[in-house]
Amino acid sequence: MLTRKLHIDPINPDMGAIAEASGIVKAGGIIIFPTETVYGIGANALNESACRRIFALKGRPSDNPLIVHVSSLEMAEGIASIPAEYRDGIRRVWPSPITFIAKSNGTLQKAVTGGLSTVAVRMPAHPVALALISECGVPIAAPSANPSGRPSATNPRRAISYFDGRVECIIDSGAAFFGIESTVIDLESFTVLRPGPFTPEEIEKAFGRMPKVDAVTRGMAHSGVAVSPGVKYAHYAPKTKLLLFSGDIGELTGLLDGIQNLPPFAFIGSAESCKAVSEAFGCSTIALGDRPDLYKIAKNLYDGIIALDSLNVAFGIIEAFEERGIGLAIMNRIRKACSGTSFNSADGLSKILEP
Ligand code: AMP
Ligand code: MG
């Protein structure tokens, strides 16, 4: 299939191009489009067979439902029952990188909801996404534009590398603004199911109530039950073994020094830590940004993880970041990319590296 590529300015979208893109969605096609978080692979949420095709293209388990993107609270209320107590708060925060789980009103098919009685809705803060949804006049179901388990596409190049020739259209509006997926809040329990760019502190400000944050939120535990089905599955993983180190960099270099026959490895972390590790070992490093700039680190995280696979090393080490603000989302994604494998001693590392 020839994939139609549309360049659309991210801030002042050309309405002719938006009309062409929405025509593709209305005809049942699959479209890859920018949002402020990551690129989405979307279809008319009311078209069951188009939604099924998204699962097939991603290799996504059918019990992992899709986020449904809307262009207004009214459109959200056409598919979900939003509790009255939260309506004002949602009006205050939308559009933004925050997804709410609410009771489904039965409009959406099983292909979208995974057979759950709830639905995930969000109004993206991206001019192209908003214009596209409102021009379509229907909600757009869209998970992140990546094969299941792989890092999300944060720019059109990555989306093209994953899906060119397999979808009807890819919109190129440059890099997504945040580069990390939306915050997911369950309205029933007021819990952060997945941390994202919109922080618990900001949610407290908008809703007058602090959402719950637990071990699953931090990516430290896997949920066996499908509270948020996404948390059941491994995610964001590179092909190369990736290990998390949480300690200071002086400690890390000391500990690596103590290991004989250390196989070639690469280090992923802040610019400051990369400099220290590369001076000590002359190894490859992937700098994500300056340590205090957590938004930049979040934005570069997936490209950094993907870059590891092109370095021809036996394993990668990624450093931990402060779990404050968007740092909560960064650490959730890092823990999943490492499948929970971390070390803090030479012994621990040697054991992990044993064949
Ligand atoms: P993504 O593939 O990055 O768009 O992720 C969508 C996320 O939203 C996944 O973690 C899903 O499991 C989650 N999600 C979607 N619908 C629901 C729902 N009804 N209840 C709980 N989590 C949901
Ligand atoms: Mg995803």
Side-chain angles (χ1 to χ4, degrees):
M1 155 189 314
L2 189 66
T3 299
R4 174 85 173 118
K5 312 270 175 30
L6 289 171
H7 274 268
I8 304 185
D9 186 275
I11 305 301
N12 291 303
D14 173 69
M15 287 315 285
I18 293 287
E20 180 178 347
S22 76
I24 292 171
V25 175
K26 286 191 248 181
I30 306 282
I31 191 163
I32 290 182
F33 65 100
T35 80
E36 80 280 33
T37 58
V38 298
Y39 271 68
I41 176 166
N44 174 356
L46 307 176
N47 181 328
E48 202 180 358
S49 63
C51 290
R52 281 194 201 292
R53 231 183 100 207
I54 295 177
F55 284 85
L57 282 163
K58 287 192 56 143
R60 184 178 177 101
S62 62
D63 67 347
N64 191 4
L66 310 182
I67 291 176
V68 180
H69 294 69
V70 297
S71 54
S72 66
L73 181 58
E74 292 62 42
M75 194 186 269
E77 294 194 302
I79 53 176
S81 312
I82 307 282
E85 55 178 313
Y86 292 125
R87 208 171 281 137
D88 286 345
I90 295 177
R91 267 194 212 289
R92 271 195 286 275
V93 298
W94 269 359
S96 64
I98 173 163
T99 299
F100 294 101
I101 308 294
K103 282 255 165 302
S104 161
N105 69 8
T107 305
L108 292 177
Q109 302 292 320
K110 204 172 155 191
V112 177
T113 63
L116 297 179
S117 58
T118 51
V119 45
V121 275
R122 124 169 165 86
M123 179 170 166
H126 193 293
V128 172
L130 279 179
L132 176 68
I133 301 161
S134 101
E135 185 69 19
C136 287
V138 290
I140 295 186
S144 50
N146 54 278
S148 201
R150 302 279 291 138
S152 303
T154 58
N155 57 60
R157 268 170 291 115
R158 184 73 57 203
I160 288 170
S161 78
Y162 284 148
F163 292 110
D164 197 17
R166 299 164 63 210
V167 297
E168 278 75 14
C169 178
I170 297 180
I171 296 179
D172 176 348
S173 298
F177 307 148
F178 289 106
I180 203 158
E181 303 85 351
S182 64
T183 305
V184 179
I185 301 282
D186 175 36
L187 286 180
E188 168 122 10
S189 59
F190 212 62
T191 304
V192 180
L193 299 182
R194 176 175 76 182
F198 208 97
T199 64
E201 295 81 357
E202 290 167 323
I203 291 163
E204 183 184 25
K205 241 184 245 158
F207 288 87
R209 202 177 144 193
M210 191 67 171
K212 277 180 246 156
V213 168
D214 58 20
V216 174
T217 315
R218 292 178 190 278
M220 286 165 149
H222 285 279
S223 166
V225 274
V227 228
S228 183
V231 301
K232 267 196 341 193
Y233 302 103
H235 260 88
Y236 322 116
K239 292 177 182 144
T240 311
K241 188 196 286 268
L242 181 62
L243 311 173
L244 170 63
F245 179 75
S246 15
D248 72 50
I249 289 305
E251 225 177 290
L252 174 67
T253 50
L255 166 171
L256 291 175
D257 257 340
I259 295 178
Q260 281 185 351
N261 304 323
L262 187 66
F265 70 96
F267 177 82
I268 308 179
S270 64
E272 296 88 333
S273 300
C274 282
K275 185 161 177 277
V277 174
S278 122
E279 276 167 9
F281 298 96
C283 62
S284 307
T285 57
I286 299 169
L288 302 175
D290 291 344
R291 177 162 271 282
D293 193 352
L294 289 179
Y295 280 91
K296 178 126 185 235
I297 297 210
K299 190 165 182 177
N300 290 329
L301 181 65
Y302 293 142
D303 271 352
I305 289 175
I306 291 169
L308 178 65
D309 287 332
S310 58
L311 292 179
N312 232 326
V313 290
F315 69 102
I317 297 174
I318 187 163
E319 74 173 320
F321 291 89
E322 196 184 348
E323 277 182 286
R324 182 179 47 81
I326 198 173
L328 193 63
I330 294 173
M331 286 308 295
N332 164 291
R333 307 307 189 275
I334 288 180
R335 291 200 177 95
K336 289 182 185 212
C338 296
S339 312
T341 314
S342 64
F343 68 98
N344 49 23
S345 68
D347 245 18
L349 178 58
S350 303
K351 277 212 190 77
I352 294 169
L353 296 179
E354 269 166 24

